[in-house]
Amino acid sequence: MRSRLKKVLLGGSAVAISAIGFVSLGSGLQLLNSPEQLAAAEGWKKKIEAAGGVVPSRASHLTALNGTSPSSPLDLLIIGGGATGCGCALDGATRGLKVGLVERDDFASGTSSRSTKLVHGGVRYLEKAVFHMDLGQLRLVFHALDERYHMLRNAPHLCAPLPTMTPCYELWEIPYYWSGLKLYDLISGRQLLHLSRFYSAEQSKALFPTLSQTDHGRNLKGTVVYYDGQFDDSRFNIALACTAALAGASVLNHAEAVAFFKDETTGRIAGARVRDHLTGREFDVHARVIINAGGPFCDEVRKIADKEAKPLITPSSGVHVVLPDYYSPDGMGLIVPKTKDGRVVFMLPWLGRTVAGTTDSSTKITMLPEPHEEEIQFILDAISDYLCVKVRRSDVLSAWSGIRPLASDPSLVGTENISREHVVCPGPEGLLTITGGKWTTYRSMAEDAVSIAIKLGSLTPANGCVTKDLVLLGGDEWDPALFTVLSQQYLRMKKSYGGKIVPGAMDTPVAKHLAHSYGGLCQRVATIAQEENLGKRIAHGYPYLEAEVAYCARNEYCETAVDFIARRSRLAFLDTNAAGRSLGRVIEILAAEHRWDRSRKKSELARAKAFLETFKSSQNAQFRDGKHN
């Protein structure tokens, strides 16, 4: 069945030129790599392991990029350090190309840290494919399920299967959702995480205690539970950047491409002027091909090269709220399949809290998007009908907005109707833009972009793409029981308020957090906590340790306070007010690591507070509680 569907979907070529002049790609499903690809992947794995997990310094990357010249250019310069950009850097470096990447803020600072945290094939795309006879949507589901399998396998410490419950309050909903999710199982094939199944109302209540037994006078008939993947998006992105650095790519955050320059003979774009925001210095980076992976800002980058460039994307706002853990049980999510206006809302356990979202509406592009109060209220309204607990605005610990760069034909209206397929757009000569898609398909997006860049630049890679079978940094030495090693073999030495050094247990919540966040490298963080007296938690009620601040500054290119509270740890996303309370200690440790003066520490505090103001928790937002009291 799967092979027949695959032939129908892929037909001949997987590449088509659209009416508006870009290349749309729905990558073929390569379930098995060739022996040559597997051998190349194993070779790169050994090279990365040989580095011992110690990434090159930011200064060395800066020197490498600054040292390019017309006679010694990079093969690829990538603009943008999100999932796709870092995926391109890893793909290009592991093909043996000379690769550089610049990101004007931090890795995962945009959309890639603001997702729904799902690694999924797209149940709602399957529904559209069936009811609208849309082979493009069905192809997208096949493609995403294939990529889901590789994401979970290549970063097992950061990704895990998650069961999600679909409530049925009408008898007809039971066969409707059951048959649809069984089709989802069938399409998953051997990459199936777990079979979906039906639970009675009584069983559902036991699995999800806060699920309402009634909805507008209707009684719960049962639920259908299916499985997808869940992950820590920004830490996955950081792992991509660090793995790319170990593979030989020069990756530089807080560095912006401010202009392009051309070859005077051919007129082809030959590089970019880059400004290092940490020092204020500018320098030229020469490259044979530039890949624009700017996410929501890809059109802005294109206009630097061509002021007349037509927009490729339609930005869409994705808003999420974080609620206390009692809203959902640990290990079981909830999907509201159809809200009053037809959108889908998820409520999922994540890192000890509950994340609910998302809205899908047009928005303006900005560096720090903020959720509107009506969007927050929409999410709370949507989940309140399905829960037996009071849904209160005052319970919102954090709320954030992310901008999805949906690639579309300008003639389309409405973001909910735009395909999540990605597009690769060549031009002007020497520049290639990759946009669209979704987190789950980042790897194949990068593969397509690098493959086309190789053709455009007549580059000579050492081997083909190997990223399908390349485990990310921290994944190789990870084991589900790794946290027990930390609990048994390490102490958390910490300074008391009086300055005395006191030991503390490496308790289970902290040990599990370290093992899942850093994988096989977690013992290095535990060693810092024990030997450098940095074992204290930076925020009450959360497992983040002072040692992580030092480790991330040394090993994960953590250059600012916001880098840590938002992306190396997830404290800003989990609890905005707790993140604010941790700032003093985070800045103190980073200042010691990076040798900041008093002025820099003061500016870091101001910038971090301004950043947290964009996260609309109940304490920093104006609202009327109304029906949510």
Side-chain angles (χ1 to χ4, degrees):
M1 167 67 82
R2 180 173 178 136
S3 62
R4 289 200 300 271
L5 280 171
K6 179 180 166 186
K7 288 178 182 177
V8 171
L9 292 176
L10 299 181
S13 172
V15 181
I17 306 297
S18 81
I20 59 172
F22 56 70
V23 183
S24 175
L25 294 108
S27 296
L29 303 177
Q30 300 176 356
L31 299 182
L32 294 173
N33 278 337
S34 68
E36 292 79 11
Q37 286 175 303
L38 292 172
E42 187 63 26
W44 278 106
K45 175 183 171 183
K46 290 179 180 178
K47 288 180 182 178
I48 291 170
E49 286 178 349
V54 180
V55 298
S57 67
R58 185 179 188 276
S60 67
H61 292 315
L62 186 60
T63 300
L65 293 174
N66 197 13
T68 61
S69 66
S71 60
S72 180
L74 297 172
D75 290 315
L76 299 176
L77 173 63
I78 298 153
I79 297 174
T84 306
C86 289
C88 288
L90 179 59
D91 189 303
T94 52
R95 296 199 205 197
L97 299 175
K98 190 177 178 183
V99 177
L101 179 148
V102 293
E103 159 60 48
R104 67 174 166 184
D105 194 344
D106 183 30
F107 307 121
S109 59
T111 307
S112 295
S113 62
R114 298 168 180 258
S115 74
T116 310
K117 323 303 179 192
L118 284 175
V119 185
H120 64 112
V123 170
R124 55 179 171 161
Y125 309 143
L126 179 60
E127 185 180 29
K128 289 180 181 180
V130 172
F131 284 98
H132 299 286
M133 298 298 290
D134 189 337
L135 289 180
Q137 293 284 349
L138 188 56
R139 180 178 62 189
L140 180 62
V141 177
F142 270 110
H143 178 202
L145 286 171
D146 186 43
E147 293 300 322
R148 180 187 73 178
Y149 168 76
H150 292 286
M151 279 189 71
L152 268 66
R153 189 176 64 167
N154 290 341
H157 57 304
L158 296 170
C159 308
L162 176 71
T164 303
M165 182 175 282
T166 306
C168 303
Y169 291 94
E170 299 284 357
L171 286 174
W172 65 265
E173 291 178 329
I174 296 173
Y176 177 80
Y177 291 125
W178 185 89
S179 59
L181 292 170
K182 283 299 178 185
L183 178 59
Y184 195 58
D185 291 347
L186 177 64
I187 292 174
S188 299
R190 66 178 185 174
Q191 298 159 339
L192 178 70
L193 299 178
H194 198 286
L195 282 171
S196 59
R197 62 163 295 179
F198 173 77
Y199 290 95
S200 68
E202 292 76 14
Q203 291 171 320
S204 302
K205 182 67 174 176
L207 290 169
F208 205 113
T210 55
L211 180 65
S212 177
Q213 297 295 292
T214 60
D215 175 39
H216 295 93
R218 304 177 301 167
N219 293 324
L220 182 69
K221 304 301 189 295
T223 61
V224 182
V225 173
Y226 74 99
Y227 281 72
D228 254 328
Q230 189 181 50
F231 75 135
D232 186 335
D233 50 7
S234 74
R235 287 217 55 85
F236 195 108
N237 202 150
I238 300 302
L240 279 173
C242 291
T243 309
L246 289 174
S250 298
V251 296
L252 198 66
N253 56 352
H254 301 287
E256 181 179 2
V258 294
F260 294 124
F261 54 84
K262 296 182 178 181
D263 185 293
E264 294 182 357
T265 304
T266 64
R268 179 188 178 93
I269 292 176
R273 184 74 174 173
V274 173
R275 178 181 300 133
D276 181 0
H277 286 304
L278 298 184
T279 64
R281 299 194 200 109
E282 293 187 0
F283 56 94
D284 289 337
V285 179
H286 299 262
R288 291 187 170 90
V289 180
I290 295 177
I291 296 179
N292 169 16
F297 302 96
C298 71
D299 283 334
E300 179 182 316
V301 174
R302 292 173 67 242
K303 286 184 181 295
I304 294 175
D306 178 9
K307 293 181 180 180
E308 304 301 318
K310 294 182 179 180
L312 274 183
I313 68 165
T314 300
S316 171
S317 171
V319 173
H320 298 80
V321 301
V322 172
L323 300 162
D325 56 353
Y326 58 73
Y327 272 84
S328 64
D330 186 25
M332 179 65 73
L334 178 73
I335 179 174
V336 178
K338 193 159 288 188
T339 60
K340 295 171 185 177
D341 62 356
R343 286 182 279 185
V344 175
V345 170
F346 289 92
M347 193 173 78
L348 310 167
W350 184 63
L351 300 182
R353 295 293 180 264
T354 298
V355 60
T358 177
T359 60
D360 194 1
S361 54
S362 297
T363 187
K364 293 182 179 179
I365 297 176
T366 176
M367 283 290 289
L368 288 177
E370 298 183 30
H372 297 299
E373 188 59 35
E374 57 268 24
E375 294 174 315
I376 297 173
Q377 295 288 357
F378 168 82
I379 294 172
L380 298 180
D381 284 338
I383 65 174
S384 64
D385 291 336
Y386 292 84
L387 300 179
C388 61
V389 297
K390 293 180 180 179
V391 179
R392 306 179 303 184
R393 178 62 174 88
S394 56
D395 283 340
V396 174
L397 300 171
S398 182
W400 74 86
S401 176
I403 302 175
R404 300 187 184 99
L406 305 181
S408 69
D409 185 323
S411 64
L412 290 177
V413 178
T415 60
E416 69 279 3
N417 295 317
I418 300 174
S419 172
R420 265 53 174 181
E421 285 190 291
H422 61 276
V423 298
V424 177
C425 176
E429 192 175 2
L431 178 69
L432 185 73
T433 297
I434 171 76
T435 191
K438 58 180 185 174
W439 233 118
T440 307
T441 59
Y442 87 90
R443 192 210 61 80
S444 64
M445 292 171 64
E447 180 181 351
D448 289 337
V450 173
S451 294
I452 293 176
I454 288 171
K455 293 178 182 177
L456 292 178
S458 300
L459 307 179
T460 54
N463 51 262
C465 177
V466 301
T467 52
K468 269 198 173 185
D469 300 289
L470 191 68
V471 177
L472 300 185
L473 186 64
D476 262 330
E477 301 301 321
W478 183 79
D479 182 271
L482 181 58
F483 74 95
T484 62
V485 176
L486 301 185
S487 297
Q488 291 180 342
Q489 298 184 9
Y490 292 90
L491 292 174
R492 294 192 294 119
M493 305 301 292
K494 49 194 177 181
K495 287 184 180 179
S496 67
Y497 286 111
K500 184 180 179 182
I501 303 299
V502 294
M506 190 69 71
D507 52 274
T508 299
V510 168
K512 284 186 174 180
H513 154 67
L514 293 180
H516 282 287
S517 295
Y518 304 94
L521 302 176
C522 63
Q523 294 183 65
R524 301 185 184 190
V525 185
T527 298
I528 295 173
Q530 179 171 283
E531 296 183 357
E532 299 184 31
N533 307 323
L534 292 174
K536 188 181 291 185
R537 299 182 189 223
I538 63 170
H540 179 71
Y542 293 89
Y544 301 110
L545 301 184
E546 295 172 330
E548 294 180 70
V549 186
Y551 176 85
C552 293
R554 299 169 194 174
N555 299 281
E556 293 187 351
Y557 307 113
C558 179
E559 304 295 334
T560 72
V562 173
D563 290 353
F564 183 80
I565 62 171
R567 292 172 288 272
R568 304 310 182 283
S569 76
R570 309 315 309 277
L571 197 51
F573 287 81
L574 290 170
D575 190 330
T576 304
N577 302 308
R581 292 192 295 272
S582 75
L583 281 175
R585 185 58 178 144
V586 169
I587 291 172
E588 184 180 339
I589 297 170
L590 286 176
E593 294 293 328
H594 294 313
R595 300 180 181 179
W596 292 345
D597 59 19
R598 183 177 297 180
S599 174
R600 174 65 186 273
K601 288 193 284 186
K602 186 177 180 180
S603 65
E604 282 290 323
L605 182 62
R607 279 197 294 265
K609 285 183 175 180
F611 174 80
L612 291 175
E613 282 295 318
T614 66
F615 287 68
K616 301 303 180 183
S617 72
S618 60
Q619 310 248 338
N620 67 354
Q622 299 295 321
F623 63 90
R624 290 177 296 177
D625 217 0
K627 65 175 285 187
H628 300 294
N629 277 328

